[in-house]
Amino acid sequence: QVQLQESGPGLVKPSQTLSLTCTVSGGSISSGGYYWSWIRQHPGKGLEWIGYIYYSGSTYYNPSLKSRVTISVDTSKNQFSLKLSSVTAADTAVYYCARDKSHCSSTSCYTLWAFDIWGQGTMVTVSS
Amino acid sequence: DIQMTQSPSTLSASVGDRVTITCRASQSISSWLAWYQQKPGKAPKLLIYKASSLESGVPSRFSGSGSGTEFTLTISSLQPDDFATYYCQQYNSLFTFGPGTKVDIK
């Protein structure tokens, strides 16, 4: 079955760019029909959706982070990535990658706007 | 933006209890509401999608209901493995999560 694994630096300096990668195994990003998201959780707090990329490459970001976020996909490596620029201590969080739950037939998929597959999460601390 | 609230924020219960958690949206979200269970140090686990559809592999003691702005997650008979934090999540052009309900041991 499909599994997701986040990777990237655990410590980022203020004002720098946070870069994380999610590697997809057990399935192909380019097979289509799914939205691939980044979600974060501040320590001891709730969950915040950052944005998604569709298999076609189209993206949609949380307006609260939009000016600093870029999500991209590398189908050759079966990975998608997050870049968050100009980070501050407020960006310290556990970052998860996730895939939406979709119902797929032989010809098409439609999303059910929930996240059924998650990575284990990676803690990123912003500190000098 | 659509805001989500959950009540209660903390719930103390015993094994075997029937537990109900409420999630409210600041405006109608039709049935685009999901519920997750999260344990410390772990990623959230999808329990319910589209307000009332049970995710594959999730025990039938979990159920969801509601539409529009008010939704509930019910655990019919609380089991030891169910002590965790529960989040609702809506979709209406973007995703937002509720603040969570921690279910702990009474």
Side-chain angles (χ1 to χ4, degrees), chain B residues 29-67:
Chain B
I29 56 171
S30 184
S31 294
W32 296 119
L33 192 285
W35 289 98
Y36 300 84
Q37 176 194 69
Q38 188 179 33
K39 296 182 179 180
K42 299 294 187 182
K45 173 188 174 183
L46 178 64
L47 301 174
I48 302 286
Y49 62 94
K50 209 174 179 187
S52 60
S53 295
L54 188 68
E55 173 68 349
S56 176
V58 174
S60 59
R61 62 181 181 271
F62 292 92
S63 64
S65 65
S67 66

PDB file of all heavy atoms in Angstrom, chain B residues 29-67:
ATOM      1  N   ILE B  29     -20.902  23.636   5.490  1.00  0.00           N
ATOM      2  CA  ILE B  29     -19.875  22.911   4.735  1.00  0.00           C
ATOM      3  C   ILE B  29     -20.470  21.653   4.096  1.00  0.00           C
ATOM      4  O   ILE B  29     -19.744  20.709   3.774  1.00  0.00           O
ATOM      5  CB  ILE B  29     -18.667  22.541   5.624  1.00  0.00           C
ATOM      6  CG1 ILE B  29     -19.108  21.722   6.845  1.00  0.00           C
ATOM      7  CG2 ILE B  29     -17.911  23.793   6.056  1.00  0.00           C
ATOM      8  CD1 ILE B  29     -17.947  21.138   7.645  1.00  0.00           C
ATOM      9  N   SER B  30     -21.777  21.655   3.947  1.00  0.00           N
ATOM     10  CA  SER B  30     -22.446  20.467   3.404  1.00  0.00           C
ATOM     11  C   SER B  30     -22.054  19.254   4.244  1.00  0.00           C
ATOM     12  O   SER B  30     -22.255  19.259   5.457  1.00  0.00           O
ATOM     13  CB  SER B  30     -22.072  20.304   1.938  1.00  0.00           C
ATOM     14  OG  SER B  30     -22.787  19.222   1.362  1.00  0.00           O
ATOM     15  N   SER B  31     -21.486  18.233   3.629  1.00  0.00           N
ATOM     16  CA  SER B  31     -21.058  17.047   4.399  1.00  0.00           C
ATOM     17  C   SER B  31     -19.562  16.829   4.340  1.00  0.00           C
ATOM     18  O   SER B  31     -19.075  15.740   4.646  1.00  0.00           O
ATOM     19  CB  SER B  31     -21.770  15.809   3.874  1.00  0.00           C
ATOM     20  OG  SER B  31     -23.153  15.886   4.108  1.00  0.00           O
ATOM     21  N   TRP B  32     -18.816  17.876   3.964  1.00  0.00           N
ATOM     22  CA  TRP B  32     -17.367  17.722   3.827  1.00  0.00           C
ATOM     23  C   TRP B  32     -16.675  17.866   5.175  1.00  0.00           C
ATOM     24  O   TRP B  32     -15.954  18.807   5.454  1.00  0.00           O
ATOM     25  CB  TRP B  32     -16.805  18.710   2.817  1.00  0.00           C
ATOM     26  CG  TRP B  32     -17.313  18.506   1.427  1.00  0.00           C
ATOM     27  CD1 TRP B  32     -18.028  19.379   0.667  1.00  0.00           C
ATOM     28  CD2 TRP B  32     -17.174  17.308   0.638  1.00  0.00           C
ATOM     29  NE1 TRP B  32     -18.329  18.811  -0.543  1.00  0.00           N
ATOM     30  CE2 TRP B  32     -17.817  17.547  -0.603  1.00  0.00           C
ATOM     31  CE3 TRP B  32     -16.556  16.059   0.835  1.00  0.00           C
ATOM     32  CZ2 TRP B  32     -17.869  16.605  -1.619  1.00  0.00           C
ATOM     33  CZ3 TRP B  32     -16.607  15.118  -0.179  1.00  0.00           C
ATOM     34  CH2 TRP B  32     -17.253  15.395  -1.380  1.00  0.00           C
ATOM     35  N   LEU B  33     -16.901  16.858   6.002  1.00  0.00           N
ATOM     36  CA  LEU B  33     -16.378  16.861   7.356  1.00  0.00           C
ATOM     37  C   LEU B  33     -15.743  15.501   7.626  1.00  0.00           C
ATOM     38  O   LEU B  33     -16.349  14.452   7.352  1.00  0.00           O
ATOM     39  CB  LEU B  33     -17.505  17.146   8.353  1.00  0.00           C
ATOM     40  CG  LEU B  33     -17.208  17.483   9.831  1.00  0.00           C
ATOM     41  CD1 LEU B  33     -16.795  16.256  10.629  1.00  0.00           C
ATOM     42  CD2 LEU B  33     -16.185  18.577   9.962  1.00  0.00           C
ATOM     43  N   ALA B  34     -14.531  15.529   8.152  1.00  0.00           N
ATOM     44  CA  ALA B  34     -13.824  14.298   8.498  1.00  0.00           C
ATOM     45  C   ALA B  34     -13.434  14.330   9.965  1.00  0.00           C
ATOM     46  O   ALA B  34     -13.312  15.399  10.568  1.00  0.00           O
ATOM     47  CB  ALA B  34     -12.583  14.135   7.616  1.00  0.00           C
ATOM     48  N   TRP B  35     -13.242  13.156  10.514  1.00  0.00           N
ATOM     49  CA  TRP B  35     -12.795  13.000  11.905  1.00  0.00           C
ATOM     50  C   TRP B  35     -11.506  12.180  11.941  1.00  0.00           C
ATOM     51  O   TRP B  35     -11.382  11.177  11.224  1.00  0.00           O
ATOM     52  CB  TRP B  35     -13.852  12.282  12.732  1.00  0.00           C
ATOM     53  CG  TRP B  35     -15.089  13.076  13.013  1.00  0.00           C
ATOM     54  CD1 TRP B  35     -16.282  13.023  12.332  1.00  0.00           C
ATOM     55  CD2 TRP B  35     -15.283  14.022  14.065  1.00  0.00           C
ATOM     56  NE1 TRP B  35     -17.184  13.881  12.893  1.00  0.00           N
ATOM     57  CE2 TRP B  35     -16.611  14.505  13.966  1.00  0.00           C
ATOM     58  CE3 TRP B  35     -14.478  14.506  15.100  1.00  0.00           C
ATOM     59  CZ2 TRP B  35     -17.134  15.443  14.842  1.00  0.00           C
ATOM     60  CZ3 TRP B  35     -14.989  15.442  15.973  1.00  0.00           C
ATOM     61  CH2 TRP B  35     -16.310  15.901  15.845  1.00  0.00           C
ATOM     62  N   TYR B  36     -10.587  12.594  12.810  1.00  0.00           N
ATOM     63  CA  TYR B  36      -9.312  11.908  12.979  1.00  0.00           C
ATOM     64  C   TYR B  36      -9.069  11.616  14.454  1.00  0.00           C
ATOM     65  O   TYR B  36      -9.512  12.364  15.331  1.00  0.00           O
ATOM     66  CB  TYR B  36      -8.154  12.780  12.466  1.00  0.00           C
ATOM     67  CG  TYR B  36      -8.258  13.149  11.010  1.00  0.00           C
ATOM     68  CD1 TYR B  36      -9.012  14.239  10.613  1.00  0.00           C
ATOM     69  CD2 TYR B  36      -7.618  12.381  10.041  1.00  0.00           C
ATOM     70  CE1 TYR B  36      -9.138  14.568   9.277  1.00  0.00           C
ATOM     71  CE2 TYR B  36      -7.729  12.717   8.695  1.00  0.00           C
ATOM     72  CZ  TYR B  36      -8.492  13.810   8.327  1.00  0.00           C
ATOM     73  OH  TYR B  36      -8.603  14.134   6.992  1.00  0.00           O
ATOM     74  N   GLN B  37      -8.317  10.570  14.671  1.00  0.00           N
ATOM     75  CA  GLN B  37      -7.817  10.225  15.999  1.00  0.00           C
ATOM     76  C   GLN B  37      -6.307  10.396  15.982  1.00  0.00           C
ATOM     77  O   GLN B  37      -5.641   9.949  15.048  1.00  0.00           O
ATOM     78  CB  GLN B  37      -8.161   8.759  16.323  1.00  0.00           C
ATOM     79  CG  GLN B  37      -7.618   8.258  17.648  1.00  0.00           C
ATOM     80  CD  GLN B  37      -7.698   6.732  17.719  1.00  0.00           C
ATOM     81  OE1 GLN B  37      -6.998   6.010  17.024  1.00  0.00           O
ATOM     82  NE2 GLN B  37      -8.588   6.245  18.572  1.00  0.00           N
ATOM     83  N   GLN B  38      -5.771  11.048  17.002  1.00  0.00           N
ATOM     84  CA  GLN B  38      -4.325  11.201  17.090  1.00  0.00           C
ATOM     85  C   GLN B  38      -3.829  10.807  18.473  1.00  0.00           C
ATOM     86  O   GLN B  38      -4.370  11.249  19.485  1.00  0.00           O
ATOM     87  CB  GLN B  38      -3.879  12.629  16.771  1.00  0.00           C
ATOM     88  CG  GLN B  38      -2.357  12.769  16.666  1.00  0.00           C
ATOM     89  CD  GLN B  38      -1.891  14.162  16.327  1.00  0.00           C
ATOM     90  OE1 GLN B  38      -2.496  15.152  16.720  1.00  0.00           O
ATOM     91  NE2 GLN B  38      -0.793  14.254  15.568  1.00  0.00           N
ATOM     92  N   LYS B  39      -2.803   9.995  18.483  1.00  0.00           N
ATOM     93  CA  LYS B  39      -2.128   9.615  19.728  1.00  0.00           C
ATOM     94  C   LYS B  39      -0.781  10.319  19.789  1.00  0.00           C
ATOM     95  O   LYS B  39      -0.222  10.680  18.746  1.00  0.00           O
ATOM     96  CB  LYS B  39      -1.988   8.096  19.798  1.00  0.00           C
ATOM     97  CG  LYS B  39      -3.358   7.410  19.864  1.00  0.00           C
ATOM     98  CD  LYS B  39      -3.237   5.914  19.980  1.00  0.00           C
ATOM     99  CE  LYS B  39      -4.638   5.307  20.076  1.00  0.00           C
ATOM    100  NZ  LYS B  39      -4.598   3.832  20.189  1.00  0.00           N
ATOM    101  N   PRO B  40      -0.245  10.513  20.989  1.00  0.00           N
ATOM    102  CA  PRO B  40       1.007  11.271  21.139  1.00  0.00           C
ATOM    103  C   PRO B  40       2.132  10.729  20.268  1.00  0.00           C
ATOM    104  O   PRO B  40       2.380   9.517  20.240  1.00  0.00           O
ATOM    105  CB  PRO B  40       1.325  11.115  22.632  1.00  0.00           C
ATOM    106  CG  PRO B  40      -0.008  10.939  23.272  1.00  0.00           C
ATOM    107  CD  PRO B  40      -0.817  10.131  22.298  1.00  0.00           C
ATOM    108  N   GLY B  41       2.782  11.619  19.551  1.00  0.00           N
ATOM    109  CA  GLY B  41       3.918  11.249  18.719  1.00  0.00           C
ATOM    110  C   GLY B  41       3.561  10.556  17.421  1.00  0.00           C
ATOM    111  O   GLY B  41       4.459  10.115  16.689  1.00  0.00           O
ATOM    112  N   LYS B  42       2.284  10.467  17.117  1.00  0.00           N
ATOM    113  CA  LYS B  42       1.838   9.778  15.906  1.00  0.00           C
ATOM    114  C   LYS B  42       1.075  10.732  14.987  1.00  0.00           C
ATOM    115  O   LYS B  42       0.563  11.760  15.423  1.00  0.00           O
ATOM    116  CB  LYS B  42       0.907   8.610  16.270  1.00  0.00           C
ATOM    117  CG  LYS B  42       1.550   7.549  17.140  1.00  0.00           C
ATOM    118  CD  LYS B  42       2.657   6.815  16.423  1.00  0.00           C
ATOM    119  CE  LYS B  42       3.177   5.654  17.246  1.00  0.00           C
ATOM    120  NZ  LYS B  42       4.297   4.950  16.558  1.00  0.00           N
ATOM    121  N   ALA B  43       1.021  10.351  13.718  1.00  0.00           N
ATOM    122  CA  ALA B  43       0.212  11.113  12.773  1.00  0.00           C
ATOM    123  C   ALA B  43      -1.274  10.851  13.033  1.00  0.00           C
ATOM    124  O   ALA B  43      -1.649   9.800  13.563  1.00  0.00           O
ATOM    125  CB  ALA B  43       0.558  10.700  11.345  1.00  0.00           C
ATOM    126  N   PRO B  44      -2.120  11.789  12.657  1.00  0.00           N
ATOM    127  CA  PRO B  44      -3.564  11.545  12.760  1.00  0.00           C
ATOM    128  C   PRO B  44      -3.974  10.353  11.911  1.00  0.00           C
ATOM    129  O   PRO B  44      -3.364  10.062  10.878  1.00  0.00           O
ATOM    130  CB  PRO B  44      -4.169  12.842  12.221  1.00  0.00           C
ATOM    131  CG  PRO B  44      -3.121  13.876  12.458  1.00  0.00           C
ATOM    132  CD  PRO B  44      -1.825  13.161  12.231  1.00  0.00           C
ATOM    133  N   LYS B  45      -5.045   9.708  12.363  1.00  0.00           N
ATOM    134  CA  LYS B  45      -5.609   8.558  11.656  1.00  0.00           C
ATOM    135  C   LYS B  45      -7.045   8.884  11.269  1.00  0.00           C
ATOM    136  O   LYS B  45      -7.843   9.301  12.126  1.00  0.00           O
ATOM    137  CB  LYS B  45      -5.585   7.327  12.566  1.00  0.00           C
ATOM    138  CG  LYS B  45      -6.289   6.099  12.005  1.00  0.00           C
ATOM    139  CD  LYS B  45      -6.368   5.003  13.050  1.00  0.00           C
ATOM    140  CE  LYS B  45      -7.185   3.812  12.566  1.00  0.00           C
ATOM    141  NZ  LYS B  45      -7.319   2.772  13.615  1.00  0.00           N
ATOM    142  N   LEU B  46      -7.362   8.711  10.000  1.00  0.00           N
ATOM    143  CA  LEU B  46      -8.711   9.007   9.522  1.00  0.00           C
ATOM    144  C   LEU B  46      -9.701   7.986  10.068  1.00  0.00           C
ATOM    145  O   LEU B  46      -9.501   6.776   9.950  1.00  0.00           O
ATOM    146  CB  LEU B  46      -8.729   8.991   7.987  1.00  0.00           C
ATOM    147  CG  LEU B  46     -10.086   9.243   7.319  1.00  0.00           C
ATOM    148  CD1 LEU B  46     -10.600  10.649   7.619  1.00  0.00           C
ATOM    149  CD2 LEU B  46      -9.970   9.027   5.810  1.00  0.00           C
ATOM    150  N   LEU B  47     -10.782   8.473  10.659  1.00  0.00           N
ATOM    151  CA  LEU B  47     -11.839   7.610  11.176  1.00  0.00           C
ATOM    152  C   LEU B  47     -13.108   7.683  10.313  1.00  0.00           C
ATOM    153  O   LEU B  47     -13.696   6.663   9.974  1.00  0.00           O
ATOM    154  CB  LEU B  47     -12.223   8.040  12.601  1.00  0.00           C
ATOM    155  CG  LEU B  47     -11.147   8.032  13.671  1.00  0.00           C
ATOM    156  CD1 LEU B  47     -11.709   8.623  14.966  1.00  0.00           C
ATOM    157  CD2 LEU B  47     -10.629   6.622  13.904  1.00  0.00           C
ATOM    158  N   ILE B  48     -13.525   8.889  10.023  1.00  0.00           N
ATOM    159  CA  ILE B  48     -14.790   9.162   9.343  1.00  0.00           C
ATOM    160  C   ILE B  48     -14.538  10.189   8.249  1.00  0.00           C
ATOM    161  O   ILE B  48     -13.817  11.172   8.469  1.00  0.00           O
ATOM    162  CB  ILE B  48     -15.841   9.737  10.326  1.00  0.00           C
ATOM    163  CG1 ILE B  48     -16.108   8.796  11.501  1.00  0.00           C
ATOM    164  CG2 ILE B  48     -17.131  10.104   9.588  1.00  0.00           C
ATOM    165  CD1 ILE B  48     -16.924   7.568  11.164  1.00  0.00           C
ATOM    166  N   TYR B  49     -15.121   9.988   7.083  1.00  0.00           N
ATOM    167  CA  TYR B  49     -15.067  10.992   6.031  1.00  0.00           C
ATOM    168  C   TYR B  49     -16.472  11.259   5.514  1.00  0.00           C
ATOM    169  O   TYR B  49     -17.383  10.451   5.728  1.00  0.00           O
ATOM    170  CB  TYR B  49     -14.117  10.564   4.894  1.00  0.00           C
ATOM    171  CG  TYR B  49     -14.538   9.288   4.186  1.00  0.00           C
ATOM    172  CD1 TYR B  49     -15.311   9.326   3.029  1.00  0.00           C
ATOM    173  CD2 TYR B  49     -14.171   8.047   4.696  1.00  0.00           C
ATOM    174  CE1 TYR B  49     -15.696   8.165   2.391  1.00  0.00           C
ATOM    175  CE2 TYR B  49     -14.559   6.870   4.070  1.00  0.00           C
ATOM    176  CZ  TYR B  49     -15.318   6.937   2.918  1.00  0.00           C
ATOM    177  OH  TYR B  49     -15.705   5.775   2.283  1.00  0.00           O
ATOM    178  N   LYS B  50     -16.630  12.380   4.866  1.00  0.00           N
ATOM    179  CA  LYS B  50     -17.923  12.815   4.355  1.00  0.00           C
ATOM    180  C   LYS B  50     -19.009  12.691   5.429  1.00  0.00           C
ATOM    181  O   LYS B  50     -20.102  12.196   5.173  1.00  0.00           O
ATOM    182  CB  LYS B  50     -18.304  12.055   3.091  1.00  0.00           C
ATOM    183  CG  LYS B  50     -19.184  12.888   2.166  1.00  0.00           C
ATOM    184  CD  LYS B  50     -19.435  12.190   0.851  1.00  0.00           C
ATOM    185  CE  LYS B  50     -20.329  13.055  -0.020  1.00  0.00           C
ATOM    186  NZ  LYS B  50     -20.746  12.368  -1.252  1.00  0.00           N
ATOM    187  N   ALA B  51     -18.650  13.154   6.610  1.00  0.00           N
ATOM    188  CA  ALA B  51     -19.520  13.277   7.789  1.00  0.00           C
ATOM    189  C   ALA B  51     -19.903  11.963   8.445  1.00  0.00           C
ATOM    190  O   ALA B  51     -19.966  11.883   9.678  1.00  0.00           O
ATOM    191  CB  ALA B  51     -20.777  14.081   7.454  1.00  0.00           C
ATOM    192  N   SER B  52     -20.181  10.928   7.647  1.00  0.00           N
ATOM    193  CA  SER B  52     -20.729   9.712   8.252  1.00  0.00           C
ATOM    194  C   SER B  52     -20.193   8.411   7.669  1.00  0.00           C
ATOM    195  O   SER B  52     -20.661   7.336   8.063  1.00  0.00           O
ATOM    196  CB  SER B  52     -22.261   9.716   8.113  1.00  0.00           C
ATOM    197  OG  SER B  52     -22.625   9.750   6.753  1.00  0.00           O
ATOM    198  N   SER B  53     -19.242   8.488   6.766  1.00  0.00           N
ATOM    199  CA  SER B  53     -18.695   7.271   6.155  1.00  0.00           C
ATOM    200  C   SER B  53     -17.517   6.765   6.961  1.00  0.00           C
ATOM    201  O   SER B  53     -16.559   7.502   7.218  1.00  0.00           O
ATOM    202  CB  SER B  53     -18.254   7.553   4.715  1.00  0.00           C
ATOM    203  OG  SER B  53     -19.367   7.887   3.911  1.00  0.00           O
ATOM    204  N   LEU B  54     -17.591   5.500   7.346  1.00  0.00           N
ATOM    205  CA  LEU B  54     -16.558   4.900   8.181  1.00  0.00           C
ATOM    206  C   LEU B  54     -15.374   4.467   7.307  1.00  0.00           C
ATOM    207  O   LEU B  54     -15.551   3.735   6.324  1.00  0.00           O
ATOM    208  CB  LEU B  54     -17.138   3.689   8.919  1.00  0.00           C
ATOM    209  CG  LEU B  54     -16.271   3.030   9.979  1.00  0.00           C
ATOM    210  CD1 LEU B  54     -16.093   3.956  11.185  1.00  0.00           C
ATOM    211  CD2 LEU B  54     -16.885   1.703  10.414  1.00  0.00           C
ATOM    212  N   GLU B  55     -14.200   4.919   7.675  1.00  0.00           N
ATOM    213  CA  GLU B  55     -12.986   4.534   6.939  1.00  0.00           C
ATOM    214  C   GLU B  55     -12.753   3.038   7.100  1.00  0.00           C
ATOM    215  O   GLU B  55     -13.036   2.440   8.151  1.00  0.00           O
ATOM    216  CB  GLU B  55     -11.790   5.327   7.453  1.00  0.00           C
ATOM    217  CG  GLU B  55     -10.427   4.925   6.915  1.00  0.00           C
ATOM    218  CD  GLU B  55     -10.228   5.219   5.435  1.00  0.00           C
ATOM    219  OE1 GLU B  55     -11.201   5.548   4.741  1.00  0.00           O
ATOM    220  OE2 GLU B  55      -9.071   5.112   4.975  1.00  0.00           O
ATOM    221  N   SER B  56     -12.261   2.418   6.041  1.00  0.00           N
ATOM    222  CA  SER B  56     -11.968   1.003   6.057  1.00  0.00           C
ATOM    223  C   SER B  56     -11.025   0.647   7.203  1.00  0.00           C
ATOM    224  O   SER B  56     -10.014   1.332   7.432  1.00  0.00           O
ATOM    225  CB  SER B  56     -11.333   0.597   4.724  1.00  0.00           C
ATOM    226  OG  SER B  56     -10.960  -0.750   4.733  1.00  0.00           O
ATOM    227  N   GLY B  57     -11.362  -0.405   7.928  1.00  0.00           N
ATOM    228  CA  GLY B  57     -10.519  -0.874   9.018  1.00  0.00           C
ATOM    229  C   GLY B  57     -10.796  -0.222  10.359  1.00  0.00           C
ATOM    230  O   GLY B  57     -10.250  -0.654  11.382  1.00  0.00           O
ATOM    231  N   VAL B  58     -11.640   0.788  10.381  1.00  0.00           N
ATOM    232  CA  VAL B  58     -11.980   1.472  11.637  1.00  0.00           C
ATOM    233  C   VAL B  58     -13.134   0.728  12.313  1.00  0.00           C
ATOM    234  O   VAL B  58     -14.122   0.394  11.651  1.00  0.00           O
ATOM    235  CB  VAL B  58     -12.355   2.941  11.370  1.00  0.00           C
ATOM    236  CG1 VAL B  58     -12.859   3.619  12.646  1.00  0.00           C
ATOM    237  CG2 VAL B  58     -11.148   3.696  10.804  1.00  0.00           C
ATOM    238  N   PRO B  59     -13.017   0.464  13.599  1.00  0.00           N
ATOM    239  CA  PRO B  59     -14.080  -0.285  14.285  1.00  0.00           C
ATOM    240  C   PRO B  59     -15.448   0.373  14.178  1.00  0.00           C
ATOM    241  O   PRO B  59     -15.552   1.607  14.175  1.00  0.00           O
ATOM    242  CB  PRO B  59     -13.602  -0.320  15.738  1.00  0.00           C
ATOM    243  CG  PRO B  59     -12.127  -0.147  15.664  1.00  0.00           C
ATOM    244  CD  PRO B  59     -11.881   0.749  14.495  1.00  0.00           C
ATOM    245  N   SER B  60     -16.470  -0.445  14.131  1.00  0.00           N
ATOM    246  CA  SER B  60     -17.832   0.066  13.933  1.00  0.00           C
ATOM    247  C   SER B  60     -18.377   0.791  15.155  1.00  0.00           C
ATOM    248  O   SER B  60     -19.467   1.367  15.080  1.00  0.00           O
ATOM    249  CB  SER B  60     -18.763  -1.087  13.542  1.00  0.00           C
ATOM    250  OG  SER B  60     -18.758  -2.077  14.559  1.00  0.00           O
ATOM    251  N   ARG B  61     -17.657   0.788  16.266  1.00  0.00           N
ATOM    252  CA  ARG B  61     -18.117   1.567  17.422  1.00  0.00           C
ATOM    253  C   ARG B  61     -17.983   3.070  17.168  1.00  0.00           C
ATOM    254  O   ARG B  61     -18.555   3.880  17.888  1.00  0.00           O
ATOM    255  CB  ARG B  61     -17.357   1.190  18.695  1.00  0.00           C
ATOM    256  CG  ARG B  61     -15.870   1.436  18.661  1.00  0.00           C
ATOM    257  CD  ARG B  61     -15.213   0.993  19.987  1.00  0.00           C
ATOM    258  NE  ARG B  61     -13.772   1.235  20.000  1.00  0.00           N
ATOM    259  CZ  ARG B  61     -12.890   0.349  19.570  1.00  0.00           C
ATOM    260  NH1 ARG B  61     -13.298  -0.816  19.085  1.00  0.00           N
ATOM    261  NH2 ARG B  61     -11.590   0.633  19.620  1.00  0.00           N
ATOM    262  N   PHE B  62     -17.215   3.436  16.140  1.00  0.00           N
ATOM    263  CA  PHE B  62     -17.110   4.843  15.745  1.00  0.00           C
ATOM    264  C   PHE B  62     -18.190   5.157  14.710  1.00  0.00           C
ATOM    265  O   PHE B  62     -18.396   4.399  13.761  1.00  0.00           O
ATOM    266  CB  PHE B  62     -15.732   5.139  15.131  1.00  0.00           C
ATOM    267  CG  PHE B  62     -14.597   5.065  16.113  1.00  0.00           C
ATOM    268  CD1 PHE B  62     -13.892   3.890  16.294  1.00  0.00           C
ATOM    269  CD2 PHE B  62     -14.227   6.184  16.843  1.00  0.00           C
ATOM    270  CE1 PHE B  62     -12.844   3.819  17.207  1.00  0.00           C
ATOM    271  CE2 PHE B  62     -13.181   6.139  17.748  1.00  0.00           C
ATOM    272  CZ  PHE B  62     -12.495   4.939  17.932  1.00  0.00           C
ATOM    273  N   SER B  63     -18.854   6.275  14.895  1.00  0.00           N
ATOM    274  CA  SER B  63     -19.828   6.708  13.908  1.00  0.00           C
ATOM    275  C   SER B  63     -19.864   8.231  13.860  1.00  0.00           C
ATOM    276  O   SER B  63     -19.527   8.910  14.849  1.00  0.00           O
ATOM    277  CB  SER B  63     -21.222   6.156  14.207  1.00  0.00           C
ATOM    278  OG  SER B  63     -21.702   6.663  15.431  1.00  0.00           O
ATOM    279  N   GLY B  64     -20.241   8.749  12.716  1.00  0.00           N
ATOM    280  CA  GLY B  64     -20.342  10.187  12.543  1.00  0.00           C
ATOM    281  C   GLY B  64     -21.703  10.565  11.987  1.00  0.00           C
ATOM    282  O   GLY B  64     -22.334   9.776  11.277  1.00  0.00           O
ATOM    283  N   SER B  65     -22.141  11.767  12.315  1.00  0.00           N
ATOM    284  CA  SER B  65     -23.414  12.253  11.794  1.00  0.00           C
ATOM    285  C   SER B  65     -23.359  13.764  11.658  1.00  0.00           C
ATOM    286  O   SER B  65     -22.443  14.419  12.176  1.00  0.00           O
ATOM    287  CB  SER B  65     -24.572  11.835  12.703  1.00  0.00           C
ATOM    288  OG  SER B  65     -24.448  12.455  13.972  1.00  0.00           O
ATOM    289  N   GLY B  66     -24.379  14.293  10.966  1.00  0.00           N
ATOM    290  CA  GLY B  66     -24.503  15.737  10.828  1.00  0.00           C
ATOM    291  C   GLY B  66     -24.345  16.214   9.399  1.00  0.00           C
ATOM    292  O   GLY B  66     -23.901  15.472   8.510  1.00  0.00           O
ATOM    293  N   SER B  67     -24.707  17.455   9.195  1.00  0.00           N
ATOM    294  CA  SER B  67     -24.513  18.129   7.914  1.00  0.00           C
ATOM    295  C   SER B  67     -24.712  19.617   8.140  1.00  0.00           C
ATOM    296  O   SER B  67     -25.274  20.031   9.163  1.00  0.00           O
ATOM    297  CB  SER B  67     -25.479  17.620   6.847  1.00  0.00           C
ATOM    298  OG  SER B  67     -26.804  17.950   7.190  1.00  0.00           O
TER     299      SER B  67
END
